[in-house]
Every structure is written in C-alpha cells, then in structure tokens.
Amino acid sequence: MKNLSQKQRQRFWYGLLACLTTLLCIFGSPVVARDVVSQGLTASVVASSSQEEVAKNLYMSGRFAEAVKLLQQAYQTSGNQVEKAVILSNLALNLHQLGRINEASGAIEEAIAILQNTPNSPPVWAQIWDIKGNLELAQGKAQAALSSWETAASVYQQLKDSNRAILTQINQTQALQALGLYRREISLLQSLTTDLQKQPDSLAKAASFRNLGEALALAGDIDRAKKHLQQSLEIAQKLRSPETIATAYLSLGNLAYISGSSIEQKKTALAYYEKAAISSTTATSKIPSQLNCLRLLIELEQWPAAQVLYPEIQSQIANLPLGRSAIYAQVNLAQRLLEMRQKFPEPNPETIGKILAVARQQAQQLEDIRSESFVLGNLGHLYELSQQWSIAQDLTTQALNLSQSIQASDIAYRWQWQLGRILCQGKPQCDRQGDITGAIAAYQQAFNTLQNIRSDLIATNKNVQFSFRETVEPVYRRLVDLLLQSSAPSQENLTQARNVIEALQVAKLQNYLRQACEDTKLALDKVIDSQDQTSAVIYAIILDDRLEVILKRPNKKLSHYATPPQQKIEEVVSRLYENLQEDGSYEEVQQDGQKVYNWLIQPIEKDLKDSKIKNLIFVLDGALRKIPMASLYDGQQYLVEKYAVSLALGLQVREPIALDRSKIKILAASLTQPPNNTELSGFSRLENVEQEIKEIKKTGLAVNWIADREFTTKNFNKKLNSTNFDVVHLATHGLFSANRENTFVVTADGKLKIDQFDRLFLNQGQKGDSFARRRYRRIELLVLSACQTATGNDQAVMGIAGTTVQAGASSAIASLWDLDDEASVPFIKEFYTHLGQPNISRAEALRLAQQVLLKNPKYDHPRYWAPYVLVGSWL
C-alpha cells in the first residue's frame, strides 16, 4: 500500500517536522506498509481488487477513515481467502494510523488465522508479519516485534525480494534498541551495509540506503548515517530521479537538524531543505521542504526571507490532495505564522484562524480524529494568545477529549498543559482556589502523560531529543510552582513537588543521553531512613520569582522553605563560578558563597544539627549545578569543613554499597602526552599523572595499570573485561560538555566518546556475550581525574552524570573546571588512603582529601580543592 519514497516521507518528515507542535511526535507513526497486494497473487485475485487499489491511494494520501470503509466493504464482498487476508492487513495499517490499535491488532490476528488454513501465499505472509511487527512495537512489545520482523525478513529472503528483506531488517534495529541489544543492532546494520553495496544502482537501492541512514541515525551513529544518506543522494543523482534526489536532501536536512542546535548545524539543515525544495517537482514533496525552511528561517531570525517564503507556501498548500499531510501542513504553517507574529504585525490572527478552520473542516470530512484534535488544540492556543479564555478552554477540552479517545498521548499532554495555562489565565498566581485546583489537576495529567511516553519514545529512538525549554520543562516547573504556592504546603503537595523535581532531573539526563535509563532503583528516603541516618537530602528548584527548597531528614517529615533572592540567582552563581577559578579571590568567593549558603543552608542549620547530619546530598537545578556545594561559606567556614557533600540526580539511586578496602580492585589508565591530533590540539602534556597512579599503588590497593601508548580504547576494553573491577580511575584529559557529542576522555588513539561507554563498560551484559557468564558486576566508582567540564555551562554536569550512567557506575568523581595537575597528586593520594576504610564513605573520603588541600597554604584557595564533585552513591 505504500512505496519506498512515501515510507521515507512519513517516517522522517511527517514524524519529525510536520507534526511539530512537539518533538515528542518524532517518529511517532512507525508504519511500513508494503505494496505487495499484486505480488504472488493469482490474476483473478488482482483483477477483483479494484476497491483495495482505491483504498491504497486513499492511504497514501492520508485519508485513512475512507480507506477503512472501503476495505471493510471489500472484505464483506470478497470470496477469496488470500484476498481477505490482504484486505485485513491493509485495514490494520489504516486503523493503526487512526489510533485504533486494538482493532488493528484484531485484524492482523484474523488475517493470520485465515492464512494458516491457506497454503502457498508467502508474499502475503511476509506483509502480515511485517505489519504485525509495527503494531507490536507501537504497543511496547519489542521482543514480539523483533520476532515478527525476523519472520517477515526470512520470507522475503525466500522470495528473493532483497529490497523488502533489507527494509524489514532495518525495522528490526528499532526493536533491538528498545531491548537494549546494541551490539546485535550494530552488527545487523553493518551486515545490511555490506549487502547493499553489492547491489546494482537502482531507485530501490537509493531508498534502501536512505532508510539505512535513518536507522543509523536512530542508533545515534550520525557520521555513518550521513554517509549512507549521501550514498542515496549520489545514486539518485546518477539515475536523474528528481523526486528521489529531493527526498535524499530532505533526509539529510532532517539529520542535520536533529544532530544539534548550533547556528552552523541549522544553516546546514536549511541548505539541504532549500535543495530539496528546488529538486521537488510536485507540491506534495516541495511543501514539506519549504515548511522546514520556514521553521529554520524563523529560528535563525532571517525575517525578510521568512516573509517572502510563507505566502508562497500558503498558495501551494491549496494544491495538496485532501489528506492528513495537507492538514498537518496547514497546522505547521499556522504555527510558524504565530511565531512570526512575535516580531511582525502580519499575518493577522484572522489569517491564521482561517488556515486552521479549513484544516478542521478537512479533518472532520476525513473523520480523522487525531488530525482534528491536532487542529482544535492549535485553535485553542490561538484563542489563548488573544486571551479569549472561555473559547480557548472549550476548544482545548475538545482537543483533549479527542486525543484521549484514540490514546494519542503524544499530543494529549500538550492540551492538558494548555488547559492548565488557560485555567490560570496566563497569570503567575491563580486568583481563585477553584482555578488553582483545576490547574494543578491539568498539569498533573500532563506530567503523568509525559512520564508514560518519554521512556518508550527514547528507548526506541536515541535521537529523540526533547526541546526542554519549550515543550517539556515548563510543565514540570509550573506544576511545582502551583503545588508550592501556599505558604505552608501540605505533606502531600511537598511529596508530589519533590517527585516532579526528580522526574525533571531524570528527564534532563535522558534527554542528554537520548536514551532511557534503566537500572535497579532504590528510593533515597528508604536509604537514609534505614541504612544511613547521618545523611539528609536537599532539593532545590529555581522558579521565576523564587528559589524553592525541600529538606528530607532521616525518619522526619519533609521540611520546606522558599527564598525570594534580592539578586538574580544566575548572576550571583555565574560570578561565584568565575571567582572560584581565580587564584587569590578569597573575599569575592566567600561573599557570594555566603549568599548561596544563606539561600540553601542557613534556614535549616538548626534542623541539620539536631538530626546529627554529617552528609548532605544535593539535588540541584539550573545554574546551581555548576557550583561545587563544598565551596559555600557560612561566614567562618566552608561547607566542606562541616559536611561531606555529594550530588544525586533524583530521589532514586542504585542500591548504595559501602566499599570494602580489603577487596577493592582498581583499573587505572593514564596518558601523559595527548596524541598529535588536530582535534586534541588544545590539550597539554600532563606531567603528574604517572605520579598520581604511583601514589594510589602506595596506599596498598590492588591496581592494574595501563599507561600512555598502551592506553588505547581496544586495550582498555580488554583489561576492563578481564576481571571484576570496583574502581576505574582515568588520569587523562577529557571534556564533559552540555553537548553529548562533545563529551569524551582522551586515549592514546584519540577520543573515547560517551556513546562508547555503554559498549565498553556494559557489553558484558548483552545476550550471547561470553562475558555475561563470567562477569556482570558493574563498577562502583569511576574517577575522572584531569578532566574538565565545559566552562560556565550548568548543563555540563549532565556530561558527568551521563558518563556515570553510560559506564553503569554507582558513582563518579569528576571536576567542574580544569584541575591543577600538580595539586591532584596529594588529593588523589589522600582520597585513596581513606577510600573503603571502616566507617569512611566515598563522600567522606572526598571531604578528607579536600580538607588536606584546604589546609595547605599552597592549595587553600577553592580553585584547587573545590572542583571535585561526587555524583551518585555516597556510601
């Protein structure tokens, strides 16, 4: 029912940018219909299938409800069992698009039951198992989807249909990702590349390379994805196929767009989209590229070009055939025009309203519930912006009800969020109690919906990176704001606000890693109530008008206080961060350090003392993350002189296990001279890393050491998997950046990127891996010595946390700025002297090592001792 070019458009354009009210819609419609109705069937069956052909055309134009009716009629009149199975499989495709997943699954199961009693129909078997795999993946049944696609691929191979076999194997990579079987996924992708290279050039080969490139993008392999998309383009250019060329450029533009948010990357994407629009010969393929161009022109603030382009798009949309793509194109245009109105008086709201009204009429005509919900929600937003609250609420409620009726959670959360905003009428404080109650309920629903769909989407697509500042983070923050607006919020509200804070931290980490984080979790409350009653947890979240802080002490109710800082938090924190790195700036550091201390610690000093707290665990937000809490100042002492300090990502951790010094095994790797590489030219020689490792060995701990030229990625991986190590110590340059692609440690053969950490540290857990039978104990502590974060970026802490998670470590120690190579030697010596001793936790060992530097006049400035932070388990 669908050719390769349309498959590509639906997955990569329709999923990525057409439905762009939210990046949650990326790859949200994993349909892989195949035009196999006329393959392998008898002539009589083909001749009697005119209704199916009409239904096919309706499907291709996005008129799914009409296709369903025709297929149901065809099913009733068909007397051929094989044809019935084909009709049912195509019916399932359309029902899936309409959100009627249960009905779609029922249709596929009925088709399977028919074919089990009908021999000699392998092409139809292949189609049905292919479609079944898509339905199963949409329902979160990744293992079942993998099995279905393996069956489909096997049948296609028996039929010697290599193109469809390859496409079905590409689908398998999505299921392998969802199951966390990355090594199998990579192996399959490599095999597919080899098979494709052997085939003669054809449009089918170009389409296969394009789909393979998309699959590699999903796997997070941007470089190889680009290579295969370029191959697709080259084949299309050689064959002189304008539409295939346009589709390749569109895919390359999408890849550039999702690869990063820098101006250069956006300009690269824009250039590809412009080439796609020029190459396109029909409105159906030209408009998607032009809409993407318009979006980027607005993001790049190229207003004159945007003003010229939008009327052209508007005039061409009328030429699109009636269908979902046309509806989404109109909504897409309306959204862009709303963005443009922030800078210009034109186009006026009436123009935008007319565009959406036409789209609504078309959605109703097509009986397309998802599209109608999409249009109504955007109409509601238009009225929200014009402060016509009653109409906005009514339209938003209608949109929400429609989205929930088809379980379209990816758009339902937006209408729940929008409803919450409308109930408060855009005000920072809700005026009436009924409004705040309703707003909290709406925001709670949006939050719950996000929690349910985020992990599923990220697990199946590493490159689903949410636009937090625009589409996700405001939901979390506003809910916390509403829950804590009372001067004395209830324990229920405090607990819920704290849960949201945790979810925000985890969401940011998943967003950074572009994958779901699965691990055995244990509530922090349970740990400090029963296992470590000398620790307290401090949760801080920065809202528009105040800093909210929640305190959890062992076996006590939650405490709460709010501080409206006289100065902007970001200004104080940024100044403190800069001064912390300036040797000699004692007074400046202490002055601003005391301000932050007064915000976070001073109101609870007595509570901490009464509870005999020795360790503070911070869950920090925003700009506060780039400040080492150990450097806060109470007027006489730094915080490190009173408490051990650690950072947590949220309310849950891997079960903390205290280290046993007599059993600790350390894998140490050091690199004195970075390789002579242009990419690494900014990294200097590290004169003291060899001495650093020697000091660790002097403490009596068991150390396995690889140094300098021997410290290659291959050797490191071999050593790591040779035995059970508790601690991995990397004494080398590295960078922990807000950009995942620029987070790495330096080895003798180049960069060891964060994306490789899960494969190096955790590959022993993969199915079929020989190490799984011998070793599946994750490391307890990852020490990243001589590494640094991207200067001044509070998001860079995600690099440290992300590296910890990717390595499967219980905790990590890293630095918030470039370390002093000489000072690191006594620090490391002292840290490992205490690590694992009775009654000395990781956090306490860190504190003792920091205090040694603090007491040394040569290193007493926070520049030397403060940058070290412990993330994760503190025991």
Side-chain angles (χ1 to χ4, degrees):
M1 288 186 66
K2 191 177 180 190
N3 65 35
L4 299 175
S5 176
Q6 283 154 335
K7 172 189 180 292
Q8 190 278 335
R9 282 199 295 271
Q10 185 146 10
R11 179 195 266 176
F12 217 64
W13 166 67
Y14 168 91
L16 177 61
L17 291 173
C19 182
L20 50 79
T21 49
T22 168
L23 290 182
L24 286 172
C25 292
I26 298 178
F27 300 95
S29 303
V31 178
V32 285
R34 309 282 185 240
D35 186 7
V36 299
V37 176
S38 60
Q39 271 197 285
L41 304 182
T42 64
S44 61
V45 173
V46 176
S48 64
S49 61
S50 59
Q51 285 177 300
E52 295 96 293
E53 286 299 316
V54 175
K56 167 189 170 182
N57 293 329
L58 289 170
Y59 176 90
M60 290 164 60
S61 62
R63 298 166 67 173
F64 307 116
E66 294 174 70
V68 166
K69 290 179 180 178
L70 269 179
L71 289 167
Q72 288 173 335
Q73 292 172 9
Y75 178 78
Q76 295 298 327
T77 58
S78 174
N80 183 287
Q81 292 297 95
V82 174
E83 186 181 53
K84 278 181 176 288
V86 172
I87 292 170
L88 286 168
S89 67
N90 292 332
L91 180 62
L93 285 170
N94 286 279
L95 290 169
H96 183 195
Q97 283 294 315
L98 292 171
R100 294 155 64 177
I101 300 295
N102 292 336
E103 292 178 69
S105 297
I108 281 294
E109 293 303 328
E110 186 178 350
I112 290 173
I114 290 174
L115 287 182
Q116 285 175 339
N117 298 314
T118 308
N120 301 321
S121 54
V124 184
W125 265 118
Q127 170 178 299
I128 287 174
W129 284 110
D130 196 354
I131 296 169
K132 190 172 189 289
N134 280 280
L135 293 173
E136 288 164 337
L137 191 66
Q139 294 172 297
K141 301 174 182 177
Q143 186 63 61
L146 178 61
S147 177
S148 294
W149 278 324
E150 287 174 340
T151 302
S154 176
V155 177
Y156 282 132
Q157 287 165 348
Q158 291 173 22
L159 293 169
K160 301 189 184 307
D161 190 340
S162 59
N163 287 322
R164 288 189 174 88
I166 287 172
L167 289 171
T168 308
Q169 288 174 298
I170 289 173
N171 287 337
Q172 291 176 34
T173 64
Q174 297 181 61
L176 290 170
Q177 277 199 28
L179 293 168
L181 301 176
Y182 302 122
R183 295 180 74 192
R184 285 182 59 187
E185 174 197 8
I186 293 166
S187 176
L188 178 56
L189 288 170
Q190 290 172 338
S191 174
L192 289 171
T193 300
T194 302
D195 291 343
L196 272 176
Q197 298 287 5
K198 297 175 182 177
Q199 294 185 14
D201 288 344
S202 66
L203 293 181
K205 181 178 179 179
S208 294
F209 265 125
R210 187 174 61 247
N211 283 280
L212 179 58
E214 293 168 20
L216 286 162
L218 295 180
D221 193 338
I222 300 299
D223 292 338
R224 288 179 63 211
K226 183 176 181 180
K227 175 184 175 182
H228 290 311
L229 292 178
Q230 289 284 7
Q231 286 178 290
S232 174
L233 174 62
E234 290 167 7
I235 294 171
Q237 289 172 330
K238 186 184 299 183
L239 298 175
R240 298 181 181 180
S241 171
E243 290 304 298
T244 310
I245 291 170
T247 308
Y249 276 131
L250 185 59
S251 293
L252 283 163
N254 290 340
L255 181 67
Y257 186 83
I258 64 175
S259 296
S261 57
S262 70
I263 292 177
E264 291 73 19
Q265 286 166 316
K266 288 181 178 181
K267 287 182 177 179
T268 299
L270 178 61
Y272 281 128
Y273 290 142
E274 288 172 340
K275 290 179 180 179
I278 292 171
S279 301
S280 300
T281 58
T282 66
T284 302
S285 59
K286 182 183 290 288
I287 288 175
S289 301
Q290 289 181 315
L291 283 167
N292 292 348
C293 282
L294 182 60
R295 176 175 189 160
L296 282 170
L297 289 172
I298 293 171
E299 290 184 9
L300 293 168
E301 298 185 353
Q302 297 183 17
W303 303 113
Q307 285 182 299
V308 170
L309 181 58
Y310 92 76
E312 181 182 344
I313 298 173
Q314 189 173 358
S315 65
Q316 289 189 77
I317 283 180
N319 298 325
L320 288 175
L322 179 65
R324 180 178 285 183
S325 294
I327 296 169
Y328 276 30
Q330 291 171 89
V331 176
N332 188 322
L333 178 61
Q335 291 172 329
R336 303 289 75 77
L337 298 183
L338 280 172
E339 292 172 1
M340 289 184 65
R341 274 190 57 77
Q342 297 175 11
K343 295 286 182 178
F344 304 100
E346 290 291 336
N348 59 49
E350 289 75 16
T351 299
I352 300 171
K354 286 178 182 178
I355 293 172
L356 291 173
V358 171
R360 180 184 184 183
Q361 183 182 31
Q362 292 177 353
Q364 290 175 331
Q365 181 180 341
L366 293 173
E367 299 179 31
D368 189 336
I369 295 175
R370 181 184 178 89
S371 294
E372 187 177 359
S373 170
F374 193 48
V375 176
L376 284 171
N378 279 277
L379 271 170
H381 182 51
L382 181 63
Y383 281 96
E384 176 192 4
L385 293 176
S386 63
Q387 298 187 7
Q388 298 183 58
W389 306 113
S390 178
I391 300 175
Q393 182 174 346
D394 179 60
L395 288 168
T396 303
T397 302
Q398 289 183 54
L400 177 58
N401 290 338
L402 287 174
S403 64
Q404 290 177 326
S405 72
I406 58 170
Q407 300 178 344
S409 299
D410 58 328
I411 55 174
Y413 100 90
R414 293 194 63 87
W415 313 146
Q416 292 160 341
W417 172 21
Q418 187 164 292
L419 187 59
R421 297 196 308 266
I422 292 167
L423 287 170
C424 280
Q425 299 187 0
K427 300 174 183 177
Q429 302 283 332
C430 287
D431 294 334
R432 299 188 302 271
Q433 185 59 40
D435 289 339
I436 193 171
T437 301
I440 287 176
Y443 271 95
Q444 182 67 61
Q445 288 178 342
F447 169 75
N448 291 340
T449 302
L450 275 172
Q451 291 300 98
N452 289 333
I453 64 177
R454 293 192 74 265
S455 294
D456 288 344
L457 284 174
I458 298 179
T460 56
N461 178 6
K462 278 190 173 183
N463 275 313
V464 171
Q465 185 167 22
F466 298 96
S467 178
F468 268 84
R469 295 187 184 278
E470 298 175 0
T471 61
V472 175
E473 190 166 345
V475 176
Y476 292 81
R477 293 194 182 280
R478 184 57 166 153
L479 179 54
V480 171
D481 189 356
L482 293 169
L483 289 166
L484 301 180
Q485 278 192 4
S486 168
S487 59
S490 66
Q491 283 291 307
E492 181 181 357
N493 277 14
L494 287 173
T495 300
Q496 178 57 19
R498 198 176 57 145
N499 290 340
V500 177
I501 292 170
E502 176 200 25
L504 178 60
Q505 300 293 332
V506 174
K508 285 184 175 181
L509 180 60
Q510 290 183 338
N511 178 60
Y512 179 86
L513 293 175
R514 300 183 190 177
Q515 69 180 55
C517 306
E518 300 295 336
D519 201 352
T520 302
K521 297 290 187 179
L522 192 65
L524 275 178
D525 286 10
K526 184 176 180 180
V527 177
I528 67 172
D529 282 345
S530 59
Q531 193 171 341
D532 178 19
Q533 297 183 18
T534 64
S535 292
V537 190
I538 297 174
Y539 312 92
I541 189 164
I542 301 171
L543 301 176
D544 290 339
D545 60 342
R546 65 195 189 278
L547 175 66
E548 291 279 359
V549 182
I550 299 174
L551 170 67
K552 166 60 185 175
R553 290 178 290 159
N555 300 302
K556 299 284 186 182
K557 290 184 177 180
L558 297 175
S559 305
H560 161 261
Y561 52 96
T563 304
Q566 298 300 311
Q567 294 176 270
K568 288 186 177 180
I569 293 173
E570 288 77 7
E571 291 180 2
V572 174
V573 168
S574 293
R575 188 170 61 239
L576 176 57
Y577 178 81
E578 294 298 328
N579 286 325
L580 280 167
Q581 298 174 71
E582 292 294 328
D583 199 357
S585 58
Y586 295 94
E587 184 177 347
E588 295 86 349
V589 165
Q590 292 172 359
Q591 184 177 7
D592 284 329
Q594 189 166 3
K595 289 177 182 177
V596 181
Y597 181 93
N598 290 341
W599 295 340
L600 294 177
I601 308 298
Q602 190 274 331
I604 55 170
E605 279 182 328
K606 186 176 184 303
D607 292 337
L608 295 175
K609 185 176 181 179
D610 291 346
S611 297
K612 299 180 180 179
I613 299 301
K614 296 180 180 179
N615 180 55
L616 298 180
I617 305 162
F618 288 90
V619 181
L620 299 173
D621 181 36
L624 290 170
R625 284 199 301 266
K626 66 182 182 181
I627 296 299
M629 292 292 105
S631 68
L632 302 188
Y633 193 69
D634 68 358
Q636 294 181 325
Q637 292 179 300
Y638 293 105
L639 192 64
V640 73
E641 297 179 80
K642 300 193 292 183
Y643 299 100
V645 174
S646 64
L647 301 178
L649 300 178
L651 309 181
Q652 293 184 325
V653 292
R654 275 181 53 192
E655 184 169 1
I657 300 174
L659 291 170
D660 183 346
R661 187 172 180 83
S662 65
K663 297 179 181 178
I664 291 178
K665 293 182 180 179
I666 301 172
L667 173 61
S670 63
L671 186 66
T672 302
Q673 180 64 53
N676 186 15
N677 184 315
T678 304
E679 285 187 313
L680 303 173
S681 59
F683 292 108
S684 60
R685 181 180 173 86
L686 294 171
E687 297 289 351
N688 294 288
V689 291
E690 183 176 337
Q691 184 60 36
E692 184 178 305
I693 307 301
K694 289 179 179 178
E695 292 294 340
I696 300 175
K697 297 185 76 172
K698 287 179 183 179
T699 64
L701 294 170
V703 180
N704 198 322
W705 184 13
I706 51 177
D708 296 325
R709 292 183 180 180
E710 295 300 312
F711 180 23
T712 63
T713 299
K714 182 178 180 180
N715 285 344
F716 176 71
N717 189 30
K718 183 178 179 181
K719 284 284 187 182
L720 181 65
N721 287 286
S722 65
T723 189
N724 286 324
F725 291 105
D726 303 280
V727 179
V728 173
H729 184 105
L730 301 179
T732 178
H733 279 300
L735 185 67
F736 300 100
S737 169
N739 183 347
R740 182 176 62 99
E741 283 76 23
N742 201 32
T743 293
F744 60 88
V745 296
V746 179
T747 63
D749 54 349
K751 293 180 179 179
L752 174 55
K753 294 187 176 182
I754 188 174
D755 284 343
Q756 297 173 269
F757 268 63
D758 59 345
R759 297 166 192 168
L760 291 175
F761 283 77
L762 304 180
N763 60 11
Q764 70 276 6
Q766 300 290 324
K767 281 188 178 180
D769 193 317
S770 60
F771 289 114
R773 293 185 292 273
R774 296 191 286 114
R775 173 180 184 269
Y776 189 49
R777 182 158 69 87
R778 296 182 174 186
I779 63 173
E780 282 298 313
L781 177 63
L782 175 65
V783 180
L784 299 154
S785 177
C787 299
Q788 67 185 80
T789 62
T791 303
N793 193 318
D794 61 83
Q795 293 293 326
V797 175
M798 288 295 108
I800 299 174
T803 303
T804 309
V805 170
Q806 290 291 82
S810 176
S811 58
I813 290 177
S815 63
L816 293 178
W817 55 77
D818 195 8
L819 293 172
D820 181 87
D821 185 31
E822 183 180 329
S824 67
V825 175
F827 170 83
I828 292 298
K829 174 184 177 181
E830 195 68 24
F831 174 74
Y832 280 100
T833 296
H834 295 288
L835 184 65
Q837 288 187 353
N839 301 318
I840 295 183
S841 65
R842 292 169 232 204
E844 180 65 12
L846 173 62
R847 186 176 84 93
L848 293 171
Q850 288 176 309
Q851 285 187 333
V852 166
L853 294 186
L854 176 59
K855 293 174 182 178
N856 184 334
K858 187 176 180 180
Y859 303 125
D860 64 348
H861 189 273
R863 154 94 181 88
Y864 301 100
W865 55 262
Y868 300 97
V869 291
L870 173 65
V871 180
S873 176
W874 64 95
L875 290 183

